[in-house]
Amino acid sequence: RFGLGAVKGVGEAAVRSIVSERRENGPFESLEDFVSRIDLRSANKRTLESISHAGGFDSFNIYRSQLFHKMDNGQSYLEQMMKFGSKIKSEKDSNQTTMFGETGESHIQSPVPPEAKPWGTMELLSKEKEVVGVYISGHPLDDYSLEIDNFCNSNFTVLKKDLELVKGKSLKFASVVTKVEHRESRTGRKFATVHLEDYHDNYRLMLFGSDYTDFKNFLQEGWILYIKGMVQNRKWGDTDQIEFQVSKIELLSDVIDSEPRNMIV
């Protein structure tokens, strides 16, 4: 569970409107029911898009990709549903009744959900993190259990403890790139600060000189990487200090074809 008020783009007025309606008239049964009941002046397009990205409508058995799929008129399905909801509310507010004093059944047709393939894991989770700040429905590494189980032997928590305990050992990590900063020193040398994350912790990796040149093509936000290296004495500066030094970076999806494996007969 994650509070609506903490979702980026969802204001207090929208939260109060949604929660109040749910308390008064019960849970929302479908997207059609939702847009027909809430105050769309308080919960506007940006609000509903943020809730969609966070997975707030997943219980309505509709893919998030369908909500943002562009229809023939150039509008997304979510936008069309909002227009539908506005029409339903206008009809109710007009208080038109039959000759017997009963409200007539609406003849406004709800838009038909479009055919759309579900978003991939990375796209789904990156949009969650964009509006919430954390992954909710999973982790980008979830699709790589085979590679992690067979080719990785460590996690980033190890690099935040006593490095002497792992000095000289070959360490192999699976990670997702969450942020990359390309910079240039005063002398004109390019380097990068790479922010990485795995299941257990996060880590900031610095790449200089040949390491930067060799691996800069892999420094893309959202990429899933296999990182191999060793804790050893620094190459420059205070050489008595030890640090983690990279020897290999590649896509985690390619590691099965590139890393040596044992054959069991």
Side-chain angles (χ1 to χ4, degrees), residues 138-163:
H139 193 279
L141 296 178
D142 288 346
D143 292 339
Y144 299 91
S145 58
L146 177 65
E147 289 85 352
I148 293 172
D149 291 343
N150 289 277
F151 298 101
C152 300
N153 64 0
S154 193
N155 61 72
F156 290 137
T157 302
V158 171
L159 299 182
K160 292 188 174 182
K161 295 180 179 180
D162 186 355
L163 292 182

mmCIF file with all atom_site columns, all heavy atoms in Angstrom, residues 138-163:
data_model
loop_
_atom_site.group_PDB
_atom_site.id
_atom_site.type_symbol
_atom_site.label_atom_id
_atom_site.label_alt_id
_atom_site.label_comp_id
_atom_site.label_asym_id
_atom_site.label_entity_id
_atom_site.label_seq_id
_atom_site.pdbx_PDB_ins_code
_atom_site.Cartn_x
_atom_site.Cartn_y
_atom_site.Cartn_z
_atom_site.occupancy
_atom_site.B_iso_or_equiv
_atom_site.pdbx_formal_charge
_atom_site.auth_seq_id
_atom_site.auth_comp_id
_atom_site.auth_asym_id
_atom_site.auth_atom_id
_atom_site.pdbx_PDB_model_num
ATOM 1   N N   . GLY A 1 138 ? 7.457  -4.625  -8.381  1.00 0.00 ? 138 GLY A N   1
ATOM 2   C CA  . GLY A 1 138 ? 8.543  -5.569  -8.640  1.00 0.00 ? 138 GLY A CA  1
ATOM 3   C C   . GLY A 1 138 ? 9.872  -4.848  -8.649  1.00 0.00 ? 138 GLY A C   1
ATOM 4   O O   . GLY A 1 138 ? 9.996  -3.741  -8.129  1.00 0.00 ? 138 GLY A O   1
ATOM 5   N N   . HIS A 1 139 ? 10.861 -5.471  -9.249  1.00 0.00 ? 139 HIS A N   1
ATOM 6   C CA  . HIS A 1 139 ? 12.199 -4.882  -9.350  1.00 0.00 ? 139 HIS A CA  1
ATOM 7   C C   . HIS A 1 139 ? 12.733 -5.183  -10.741 1.00 0.00 ? 139 HIS A C   1
ATOM 8   O O   . HIS A 1 139 ? 12.440 -6.249  -11.310 1.00 0.00 ? 139 HIS A O   1
ATOM 9   C CB  . HIS A 1 139 ? 13.130 -5.481  -8.289  1.00 0.00 ? 139 HIS A CB  1
ATOM 10  C CG  . HIS A 1 139 ? 14.405 -4.730  -8.127  1.00 0.00 ? 139 HIS A CG  1
ATOM 11  N ND1 . HIS A 1 139 ? 15.483 -4.909  -8.987  1.00 0.00 ? 139 HIS A ND1 1
ATOM 12  C CD2 . HIS A 1 139 ? 14.788 -3.786  -7.228  1.00 0.00 ? 139 HIS A CD2 1
ATOM 13  C CE1 . HIS A 1 139 ? 16.472 -4.111  -8.611  1.00 0.00 ? 139 HIS A CE1 1
ATOM 14  N NE2 . HIS A 1 139 ? 16.081 -3.419  -7.553  1.00 0.00 ? 139 HIS A NE2 1
ATOM 15  N N   . PRO A 1 140 ? 13.492 -4.264  -11.338 1.00 0.00 ? 140 PRO A N   1
ATOM 16  C CA  . PRO A 1 140 ? 14.015 -4.491  -12.690 1.00 0.00 ? 140 PRO A CA  1
ATOM 17  C C   . PRO A 1 140 ? 14.824 -5.778  -12.854 1.00 0.00 ? 140 PRO A C   1
ATOM 18  O O   . PRO A 1 140 ? 14.949 -6.292  -13.965 1.00 0.00 ? 140 PRO A O   1
ATOM 19  C CB  . PRO A 1 140 ? 14.912 -3.264  -12.927 1.00 0.00 ? 140 PRO A CB  1
ATOM 20  C CG  . PRO A 1 140 ? 14.322 -2.211  -12.070 1.00 0.00 ? 140 PRO A CG  1
ATOM 21  C CD  . PRO A 1 140 ? 13.826 -2.917  -10.841 1.00 0.00 ? 140 PRO A CD  1
ATOM 22  N N   . LEU A 1 141 ? 15.364 -6.302  -11.756 1.00 0.00 ? 141 LEU A N   1
ATOM 23  C CA  . LEU A 1 141 ? 16.178 -7.518  -11.840 1.00 0.00 ? 141 LEU A CA  1
ATOM 24  C C   . LEU A 1 141 ? 15.345 -8.797  -11.812 1.00 0.00 ? 141 LEU A C   1
ATOM 25  O O   . LEU A 1 141 ? 15.890 -9.891  -11.964 1.00 0.00 ? 141 LEU A O   1
ATOM 26  C CB  . LEU A 1 141 ? 17.195 -7.554  -10.693 1.00 0.00 ? 141 LEU A CB  1
ATOM 27  C CG  . LEU A 1 141 ? 18.258 -6.442  -10.678 1.00 0.00 ? 141 LEU A CG  1
ATOM 28  C CD1 . LEU A 1 141 ? 19.146 -6.588  -9.457  1.00 0.00 ? 141 LEU A CD1 1
ATOM 29  C CD2 . LEU A 1 141 ? 19.091 -6.467  -11.952 1.00 0.00 ? 141 LEU A CD2 1
ATOM 30  N N   . ASP A 1 142 ? 14.032 -8.671  -11.621 1.00 0.00 ? 142 ASP A N   1
ATOM 31  C CA  . ASP A 1 142 ? 13.182 -9.854  -11.479 1.00 0.00 ? 142 ASP A CA  1
ATOM 32  C C   . ASP A 1 142 ? 13.231 -10.785 -12.688 1.00 0.00 ? 142 ASP A C   1
ATOM 33  O O   . ASP A 1 142 ? 13.043 -11.994 -12.553 1.00 0.00 ? 142 ASP A O   1
ATOM 34  C CB  . ASP A 1 142 ? 11.727 -9.444  -11.227 1.00 0.00 ? 142 ASP A CB  1
ATOM 35  C CG  . ASP A 1 142 ? 11.519 -8.866  -9.833  1.00 0.00 ? 142 ASP A CG  1
ATOM 36  O OD1 . ASP A 1 142 ? 12.423 -9.020  -8.989  1.00 0.00 ? 142 ASP A OD1 1
ATOM 37  O OD2 . ASP A 1 142 ? 10.452 -8.261  -9.591  1.00 0.00 ? 142 ASP A OD2 1
ATOM 38  N N   . ASP A 1 143 ? 13.479 -10.237 -13.867 1.00 0.00 ? 143 ASP A N   1
ATOM 39  C CA  . ASP A 1 143 ? 13.497 -11.047 -15.089 1.00 0.00 ? 143 ASP A CA  1
ATOM 40  C C   . ASP A 1 143 ? 14.822 -11.773 -15.302 1.00 0.00 ? 143 ASP A C   1
ATOM 41  O O   . ASP A 1 143 ? 14.989 -12.474 -16.308 1.00 0.00 ? 143 ASP A O   1
ATOM 42  C CB  . ASP A 1 143 ? 13.207 -10.168 -16.315 1.00 0.00 ? 143 ASP A CB  1
ATOM 43  C CG  . ASP A 1 143 ? 11.776 -9.654  -16.340 1.00 0.00 ? 143 ASP A CG  1
ATOM 44  O OD1 . ASP A 1 143 ? 10.923 -10.274 -15.666 1.00 0.00 ? 143 ASP A OD1 1
ATOM 45  O OD2 . ASP A 1 143 ? 11.514 -8.649  -17.017 1.00 0.00 ? 143 ASP A OD2 1
ATOM 46  N N   . TYR A 1 144 ? 15.770 -11.603 -14.381 1.00 0.00 ? 144 TYR A N   1
ATOM 47  C CA  . TYR A 1 144 ? 17.120 -12.136 -14.601 1.00 0.00 ? 144 TYR A CA  1
ATOM 48  C C   . TYR A 1 144 ? 17.554 -13.100 -13.493 1.00 0.00 ? 144 TYR A C   1
ATOM 49  O O   . TYR A 1 144 ? 18.738 -13.173 -13.162 1.00 0.00 ? 144 TYR A O   1
ATOM 50  C CB  . TYR A 1 144 ? 18.118 -10.977 -14.694 1.00 0.00 ? 144 TYR A CB  1
ATOM 51  C CG  . TYR A 1 144 ? 17.830 -10.046 -15.845 1.00 0.00 ? 144 TYR A CG  1
ATOM 52  C CD1 . TYR A 1 144 ? 17.007 -8.938  -15.669 1.00 0.00 ? 144 TYR A CD1 1
ATOM 53  C CD2 . TYR A 1 144 ? 18.356 -10.279 -17.113 1.00 0.00 ? 144 TYR A CD2 1
ATOM 54  C CE1 . TYR A 1 144 ? 16.724 -8.086  -16.728 1.00 0.00 ? 144 TYR A CE1 1
ATOM 55  C CE2 . TYR A 1 144 ? 18.084 -9.433  -18.169 1.00 0.00 ? 144 TYR A CE2 1
ATOM 56  C CZ  . TYR A 1 144 ? 17.264 -8.331  -17.970 1.00 0.00 ? 144 TYR A CZ  1
ATOM 57  O OH  . TYR A 1 144 ? 16.970 -7.489  -19.017 1.00 0.00 ? 144 TYR A OH  1
ATOM 58  N N   . SER A 1 145 ? 16.622 -13.850 -12.952 1.00 0.00 ? 145 SER A N   1
ATOM 59  C CA  . SER A 1 145 ? 16.963 -14.774 -11.863 1.00 0.00 ? 145 SER A CA  1
ATOM 60  C C   . SER A 1 145 ? 17.971 -15.832 -12.304 1.00 0.00 ? 145 SER A C   1
ATOM 61  O O   . SER A 1 145 ? 18.846 -16.237 -11.532 1.00 0.00 ? 145 SER A O   1
ATOM 62  C CB  . SER A 1 145 ? 15.695 -15.440 -11.328 1.00 0.00 ? 145 SER A CB  1
ATOM 63  O OG  . SER A 1 145 ? 15.018 -16.140 -12.357 1.00 0.00 ? 145 SER A OG  1
ATOM 64  N N   . LEU A 1 146 ? 17.874 -16.306 -13.553 1.00 0.00 ? 146 LEU A N   1
ATOM 65  C CA  . LEU A 1 146 ? 18.809 -17.317 -14.057 1.00 0.00 ? 146 LEU A CA  1
ATOM 66  C C   . LEU A 1 146 ? 20.235 -16.782 -14.072 1.00 0.00 ? 146 LEU A C   1
ATOM 67  O O   . LEU A 1 146 ? 21.170 -17.436 -13.594 1.00 0.00 ? 146 LEU A O   1
ATOM 68  C CB  . LEU A 1 146 ? 18.399 -17.761 -15.461 1.00 0.00 ? 146 LEU A CB  1
ATOM 69  C CG  . LEU A 1 146 ? 19.326 -18.770 -16.148 1.00 0.00 ? 146 LEU A CG  1
ATOM 70  C CD1 . LEU A 1 146 ? 19.313 -20.094 -15.397 1.00 0.00 ? 146 LEU A CD1 1
ATOM 71  C CD2 . LEU A 1 146 ? 18.900 -18.983 -17.610 1.00 0.00 ? 146 LEU A CD2 1
ATOM 72  N N   . GLU A 1 147 ? 20.403 -15.587 -14.603 1.00 0.00 ? 147 GLU A N   1
ATOM 73  C CA  . GLU A 1 147 ? 21.740 -14.986 -14.671 1.00 0.00 ? 147 GLU A CA  1
ATOM 74  C C   . GLU A 1 147 ? 22.282 -14.683 -13.278 1.00 0.00 ? 147 GLU A C   1
ATOM 75  O O   . GLU A 1 147 ? 23.466 -14.909 -12.999 1.00 0.00 ? 147 GLU A O   1
ATOM 76  C CB  . GLU A 1 147 ? 21.676 -13.688 -15.498 1.00 0.00 ? 147 GLU A CB  1
ATOM 77  C CG  . GLU A 1 147 ? 21.455 -13.890 -16.985 1.00 0.00 ? 147 GLU A CG  1
ATOM 78  C CD  . GLU A 1 147 ? 19.978 -14.042 -17.330 1.00 0.00 ? 147 GLU A CD  1
ATOM 79  O OE1 . GLU A 1 147 ? 19.124 -14.136 -16.424 1.00 0.00 ? 147 GLU A OE1 1
ATOM 80  O OE2 . GLU A 1 147 ? 19.661 -14.049 -18.540 1.00 0.00 ? 147 GLU A OE2 1
ATOM 81  N N   . ILE A 1 148 ? 21.433 -14.165 -12.405 1.00 0.00 ? 148 ILE A N   1
ATOM 82  C CA  . ILE A 1 148 ? 21.878 -13.807 -11.060 1.00 0.00 ? 148 ILE A CA  1
ATOM 83  C C   . ILE A 1 148 ? 22.282 -15.047 -10.264 1.00 0.00 ? 148 ILE A C   1
ATOM 84  O O   . ILE A 1 148 ? 23.321 -15.069 -9.595  1.00 0.00 ? 148 ILE A O   1
ATOM 85  C CB  . ILE A 1 148 ? 20.766 -13.030 -10.325 1.00 0.00 ? 148 ILE A CB  1
ATOM 86  C CG1 . ILE A 1 148 ? 20.547 -11.670 -11.005 1.00 0.00 ? 148 ILE A CG1 1
ATOM 87  C CG2 . ILE A 1 148 ? 21.111 -12.843 -8.850  1.00 0.00 ? 148 ILE A CG2 1
ATOM 88  C CD1 . ILE A 1 148 ? 19.357 -10.902 -10.476 1.00 0.00 ? 148 ILE A CD1 1
ATOM 89  N N   . ASP A 1 149 ? 21.487 -16.091 -10.361 1.00 0.00 ? 149 ASP A N   1
ATOM 90  C CA  . ASP A 1 149 ? 21.766 -17.320 -9.602  1.00 0.00 ? 149 ASP A CA  1
ATOM 91  C C   . ASP A 1 149 ? 23.046 -18.017 -10.057 1.00 0.00 ? 149 ASP A C   1
ATOM 92  O O   . ASP A 1 149 ? 23.743 -18.650 -9.260  1.00 0.00 ? 149 ASP A O   1
ATOM 93  C CB  . ASP A 1 149 ? 20.589 -18.297 -9.722  1.00 0.00 ? 149 ASP A CB  1
ATOM 94  C CG  . ASP A 1 149 ? 19.352 -17.812 -8.988  1.00 0.00 ? 149 ASP A CG  1
ATOM 95  O OD1 . ASP A 1 149 ? 19.489 -16.921 -8.134  1.00 0.00 ? 149 ASP A OD1 1
ATOM 96  O OD2 . ASP A 1 149 ? 18.245 -18.308 -9.287  1.00 0.00 ? 149 ASP A OD2 1
ATOM 97  N N   . ASN A 1 150 ? 23.364 -17.895 -11.350 1.00 0.00 ? 150 ASN A N   1
ATOM 98  C CA  . ASN A 1 150 ? 24.480 -18.654 -11.903 1.00 0.00 ? 150 ASN A CA  1
ATOM 99  C C   . ASN A 1 150 ? 25.774 -17.865 -12.105 1.00 0.00 ? 150 ASN A C   1
ATOM 100 O O   . ASN A 1 150 ? 26.849 -18.466 -12.166 1.00 0.00 ? 150 ASN A O   1
ATOM 101 C CB  . ASN A 1 150 ? 24.073 -19.283 -13.245 1.00 0.00 ? 150 ASN A CB  1
ATOM 102 C CG  . ASN A 1 150 ? 23.084 -20.415 -13.071 1.00 0.00 ? 150 ASN A CG  1
ATOM 103 O OD1 . ASN A 1 150 ? 23.471 -21.537 -12.789 1.00 0.00 ? 150 ASN A OD1 1
ATOM 104 N ND2 . ASN A 1 150 ? 21.802 -20.126 -13.237 1.00 0.00 ? 150 ASN A ND2 1
ATOM 105 N N   . PHE A 1 151 ? 25.681 -16.550 -12.212 1.00 0.00 ? 151 PHE A N   1
ATOM 106 C CA  . PHE A 1 151 ? 26.877 -15.788 -12.552 1.00 0.00 ? 151 PHE A CA  1
ATOM 107 C C   . PHE A 1 151 ? 27.235 -14.673 -11.564 1.00 0.00 ? 151 PHE A C   1
ATOM 108 O O   . PHE A 1 151 ? 28.281 -14.056 -11.697 1.00 0.00 ? 151 PHE A O   1
ATOM 109 C CB  . PHE A 1 151 ? 26.722 -15.167 -13.949 1.00 0.00 ? 151 PHE A CB  1
ATOM 110 C CG  . PHE A 1 151 ? 26.558 -16.195 -15.041 1.00 0.00 ? 151 PHE A CG  1
ATOM 111 C CD1 . PHE A 1 151 ? 25.297 -16.483 -15.557 1.00 0.00 ? 151 PHE A CD1 1
ATOM 112 C CD2 . PHE A 1 151 ? 27.646 -16.904 -15.529 1.00 0.00 ? 151 PHE A CD2 1
ATOM 113 C CE1 . PHE A 1 151 ? 25.130 -17.433 -16.555 1.00 0.00 ? 151 PHE A CE1 1
ATOM 114 C CE2 . PHE A 1 151 ? 27.494 -17.858 -16.518 1.00 0.00 ? 151 PHE A CE2 1
ATOM 115 C CZ  . PHE A 1 151 ? 26.240 -18.130 -17.030 1.00 0.00 ? 151 PHE A CZ  1
ATOM 116 N N   . CYS A 1 152 ? 26.376 -14.404 -10.593 1.00 0.00 ? 152 CYS A N   1
ATOM 117 C CA  . CYS A 1 152 ? 26.660 -13.346 -9.622  1.00 0.00 ? 152 CYS A CA  1
ATOM 118 C C   . CYS A 1 152 ? 26.925 -13.950 -8.242  1.00 0.00 ? 152 CYS A C   1
ATOM 119 O O   . CYS A 1 152 ? 26.318 -14.953 -7.879  1.00 0.00 ? 152 CYS A O   1
ATOM 120 C CB  . CYS A 1 152 ? 25.481 -12.363 -9.550  1.00 0.00 ? 152 CYS A CB  1
ATOM 121 S SG  . CYS A 1 152 ? 25.134 -11.548 -11.130 1.00 0.00 ? 152 CYS A SG  1
ATOM 122 N N   . ASN A 1 153 ? 27.832 -13.335 -7.520  1.00 0.00 ? 153 ASN A N   1
ATOM 123 C CA  . ASN A 1 153 ? 28.192 -13.887 -6.216  1.00 0.00 ? 153 ASN A CA  1
ATOM 124 C C   . ASN A 1 153 ? 28.204 -12.859 -5.092  1.00 0.00 ? 153 ASN A C   1
ATOM 125 O O   . ASN A 1 153 ? 28.672 -13.135 -3.989  1.00 0.00 ? 153 ASN A O   1
ATOM 126 C CB  . ASN A 1 153 ? 29.574 -14.563 -6.284  1.00 0.00 ? 153 ASN A CB  1
ATOM 127 C CG  . ASN A 1 153 ? 30.691 -13.580 -6.593  1.00 0.00 ? 153 ASN A CG  1
ATOM 128 O OD1 . ASN A 1 153 ? 30.459 -12.380 -6.758  1.00 0.00 ? 153 ASN A OD1 1
ATOM 129 N ND2 . ASN A 1 153 ? 31.920 -14.083 -6.680  1.00 0.00 ? 153 ASN A ND2 1
ATOM 130 N N   . SER A 1 154 ? 27.693 -11.642 -5.367  1.00 0.00 ? 154 SER A N   1
ATOM 131 C CA  . SER A 1 154 ? 27.739 -10.622 -4.340  1.00 0.00 ? 154 SER A CA  1
ATOM 132 C C   . SER A 1 154 ? 26.621 -9.604  -4.542  1.00 0.00 ? 154 SER A C   1
ATOM 133 O O   . SER A 1 154 ? 25.875 -9.658  -5.514  1.00 0.00 ? 154 SER A O   1
ATOM 134 C CB  . SER A 1 154 ? 29.105 -9.915  -4.367  1.00 0.00 ? 154 SER A CB  1
ATOM 135 O OG  . SER A 1 154 ? 29.283 -9.132  -3.208  1.00 0.00 ? 154 SER A OG  1
ATOM 136 N N   . ASN A 1 155 ? 26.519 -8.673  -3.600  1.00 0.00 ? 155 ASN A N   1
ATOM 137 C CA  . ASN A 1 155 ? 25.573 -7.562  -3.720  1.00 0.00 ? 155 ASN A CA  1
ATOM 138 C C   . ASN A 1 155 ? 26.225 -6.309  -3.146  1.00 0.00 ? 155 ASN A C   1
ATOM 139 O O   . ASN A 1 155 ? 27.275 -6.375  -2.502  1.00 0.00 ? 155 ASN A O   1
ATOM 140 C CB  . ASN A 1 155 ? 24.254 -7.886  -3.003  1.00 0.00 ? 155 ASN A CB  1
ATOM 141 C CG  . ASN A 1 155 ? 24.440 -8.122  -1.524  1.00 0.00 ? 155 ASN A CG  1
ATOM 142 O OD1 . ASN A 1 155 ? 24.695 -7.193  -0.758  1.00 0.00 ? 155 ASN A OD1 1
ATOM 143 N ND2 . ASN A 1 155 ? 24.331 -9.393  -1.100  1.00 0.00 ? 155 ASN A ND2 1
ATOM 144 N N   . PHE A 1 156 ? 25.616 -5.159  -3.351  1.00 0.00 ? 156 PHE A N   1
ATOM 145 C CA  . PHE A 1 156 ? 26.269 -3.896  -3.017  1.00 0.00 ? 156 PHE A CA  1
ATOM 146 C C   . PHE A 1 156 ? 26.405 -3.638  -1.517  1.00 0.00 ? 156 PHE A C   1
ATOM 147 O O   . PHE A 1 156 ? 27.168 -2.757  -1.111  1.00 0.00 ? 156 PHE A O   1
ATOM 148 C CB  . PHE A 1 156 ? 25.527 -2.733  -3.686  1.00 0.00 ? 156 PHE A CB  1
ATOM 149 C CG  . PHE A 1 156 ? 25.688 -2.707  -5.182  1.00 0.00 ? 156 PHE A CG  1
ATOM 150 C CD1 . PHE A 1 156 ? 24.607 -2.459  -6.007  1.00 0.00 ? 156 PHE A CD1 1
ATOM 151 C CD2 . PHE A 1 156 ? 26.922 -2.931  -5.753  1.00 0.00 ? 156 PHE A CD2 1
ATOM 152 C CE1 . PHE A 1 156 ? 24.755 -2.436  -7.385  1.00 0.00 ? 156 PHE A CE1 1
ATOM 153 C CE2 . PHE A 1 156 ? 27.090 -2.920  -7.129  1.00 0.00 ? 156 PHE A CE2 1
ATOM 154 C CZ  . PHE A 1 156 ? 26.000 -2.666  -7.950  1.00 0.00 ? 156 PHE A CZ  1
ATOM 155 N N   . THR A 1 157 ? 25.683 -4.386  -0.712  1.00 0.00 ? 157 THR A N   1
ATOM 156 C CA  . THR A 1 157 ? 25.849 -4.250  0.731   1.00 0.00 ? 157 THR A CA  1
ATOM 157 C C   . THR A 1 157 ? 27.284 -4.586  1.139   1.00 0.00 ? 157 THR A C   1
ATOM 158 O O   . THR A 1 157 ? 27.851 -3.976  2.056   1.00 0.00 ? 157 THR A O   1
ATOM 159 C CB  . THR A 1 157 ? 24.869 -5.178  1.478   1.00 0.00 ? 157 THR A CB  1
ATOM 160 O OG1 . THR A 1 157 ? 23.537 -4.846  1.095   1.00 0.00 ? 157 THR A OG1 1
ATOM 161 C CG2 . THR A 1 157 ? 25.009 -5.020  2.981   1.00 0.00 ? 157 THR A CG2 1
ATOM 162 N N   . VAL A 1 158 ? 27.889 -5.540  0.434   1.00 0.00 ? 158 VAL A N   1
ATOM 163 C CA  . VAL A 1 158 ? 29.263 -5.970  0.720   1.00 0.00 ? 158 VAL A CA  1
ATOM 164 C C   . VAL A 1 158 ? 30.245 -4.808  0.589   1.00 0.00 ? 158 VAL A C   1
ATOM 165 O O   . VAL A 1 158 ? 31.189 -4.676  1.369   1.00 0.00 ? 158 VAL A O   1
ATOM 166 C CB  . VAL A 1 158 ? 29.662 -7.124  -0.225  1.00 0.00 ? 158 VAL A CB  1
ATOM 167 C CG1 . VAL A 1 158 ? 31.146 -7.440  -0.102  1.00 0.00 ? 158 VAL A CG1 1
ATOM 168 C CG2 . VAL A 1 158 ? 28.829 -8.356  0.066   1.00 0.00 ? 158 VAL A CG2 1
ATOM 169 N N   . LEU A 1 159 ? 30.015 -3.946  -0.395  1.00 0.00 ? 159 LEU A N   1
ATOM 170 C CA  . LEU A 1 159 ? 30.943 -2.843  -0.660  1.00 0.00 ? 159 LEU A CA  1
ATOM 171 C C   . LEU A 1 159 ? 30.797 -1.705  0.333   1.00 0.00 ? 159 LEU A C   1
ATOM 172 O O   . LEU A 1 159 ? 31.571 -0.740  0.293   1.00 0.00 ? 159 LEU A O   1
ATOM 173 C CB  . LEU A 1 159 ? 30.744 -2.322  -2.084  1.00 0.00 ? 159 LEU A CB  1
ATOM 174 C CG  . LEU A 1 159 ? 31.006 -3.332  -3.203  1.00 0.00 ? 159 LEU A CG  1
ATOM 175 C CD1 . LEU A 1 159 ? 30.814 -2.678  -4.560  1.00 0.00 ? 159 LEU A CD1 1
ATOM 176 C CD2 . LEU A 1 159 ? 32.410 -3.912  -3.092  1.00 0.00 ? 159 LEU A CD2 1
ATOM 177 N N   . LYS A 1 160 ? 29.821 -1.801  1.218   1.00 0.00 ? 160 LYS A N   1
ATOM 178 C CA  . LYS A 1 160 ? 29.633 -0.763  2.229   1.00 0.00 ? 160 LYS A CA  1
ATOM 179 C C   . LYS A 1 160 ? 30.090 -1.235  3.607   1.00 0.00 ? 160 LYS A C   1
ATOM 180 O O   . LYS A 1 160 ? 29.952 -0.519  4.582   1.00 0.00 ? 160 LYS A O   1
ATOM 181 C CB  . LYS A 1 160 ? 28.163 -0.326  2.263   1.00 0.00 ? 160 LYS A CB  1
ATOM 182 C CG  . LYS A 1 160 ? 27.739 0.418   1.004   1.00 0.00 ? 160 LYS A CG  1
ATOM 183 C CD  . LYS A 1 160 ? 26.356 1.008   1.135   1.00 0.00 ? 160 LYS A CD  1
ATOM 184 C CE  . LYS A 1 160 ? 26.025 1.863   -0.073  1.00 0.00 ? 160 LYS A CE  1
ATOM 185 N NZ  . LYS A 1 160 ? 24.682 2.491   0.042   1.00 0.00 ? 160 LYS A NZ  1
ATOM 186 N N   . LYS A 1 161 ? 30.624 -2.446  3.661   1.00 0.00 ? 161 LYS A N   1
ATOM 187 C CA  . LYS A 1 161 ? 31.138 -2.986  4.912   1.00 0.00 ? 161 LYS A CA  1
ATOM 188 C C   . LYS A 1 161 ? 32.671 -2.899  4.910   1.00 0.00 ? 161 LYS A C   1
ATOM 189 O O   . LYS A 1 161 ? 33.246 -2.095  4.194   1.00 0.00 ? 161 LYS A O   1
ATOM 190 C CB  . LYS A 1 161 ? 30.663 -4.426  5.100   1.00 0.00 ? 161 LYS A CB  1
ATOM 191 C CG  . LYS A 1 161 ? 29.143 -4.558  5.259   1.00 0.00 ? 161 LYS A CG  1
ATOM 192 C CD  . LYS A 1 161 ? 28.729 -6.004  5.443   1.00 0.00 ? 161 LYS A CD  1
ATOM 193 C CE  . LYS A 1 161 ? 27.226 -6.131  5.622   1.00 0.00 ? 161 LYS A CE  1
ATOM 194 N NZ  . LYS A 1 161 ? 26.790 -7.551  5.798   1.00 0.00 ? 161 LYS A NZ  1
ATOM 195 N N   . ASP A 1 162 ? 33.315 -3.709  5.655   1.00 0.00 ? 162 ASP A N   1
ATOM 196 C CA  . ASP A 1 162 ? 34.776 -3.720  5.728   1.00 0.00 ? 162 ASP A CA  1
ATOM 197 C C   . ASP A 1 162 ? 35.329 -4.348  4.447   1.00 0.00 ? 162 ASP A C   1
ATOM 198 O O   . ASP A 1 162 ? 35.237 -5.566  4.244   1.00 0.00 ? 162 ASP A O   1
ATOM 199 C CB  . ASP A 1 162 ? 35.224 -4.516  6.953   1.00 0.00 ? 162 ASP A CB  1
ATOM 200 C CG  . ASP A 1 162 ? 36.729 -4.445  7.163   1.00 0.00 ? 162 ASP A CG  1
ATOM 201 O OD1 . ASP A 1 162 ? 37.430 -3.869  6.305   1.00 0.00 ? 162 ASP A OD1 1
ATOM 202 O OD2 . ASP A 1 162 ? 37.209 -4.986  8.182   1.00 0.00 ? 162 ASP A OD2 1
ATOM 203 N N   . LEU A 1 163 ? 35.919 -3.523  3.584   1.00 0.00 ? 163 LEU A N   1
ATOM 204 C CA  . LEU A 1 163 ? 36.410 -4.008  2.297   1.00 0.00 ? 163 LEU A CA  1
ATOM 205 C C   . LEU A 1 163 ? 37.572 -4.990  2.452   1.00 0.00 ? 163 LEU A C   1
ATOM 206 O O   . LEU A 1 163 ? 37.847 -5.779  1.537   1.00 0.00 ? 163 LEU A O   1
ATOM 207 C CB  . LEU A 1 163 ? 36.834 -2.833  1.417   1.00 0.00 ? 163 LEU A CB  1
ATOM 208 C CG  . LEU A 1 163 ? 35.714 -1.909  0.928   1.00 0.00 ? 163 LEU A CG  1
ATOM 209 C CD1 . LEU A 1 163 ? 36.281 -0.814  0.032   1.00 0.00 ? 163 LEU A CD1 1
ATOM 210 C CD2 . LEU A 1 163 ? 34.642 -2.694  0.178   1.00 0.00 ? 163 LEU A CD2 1
#
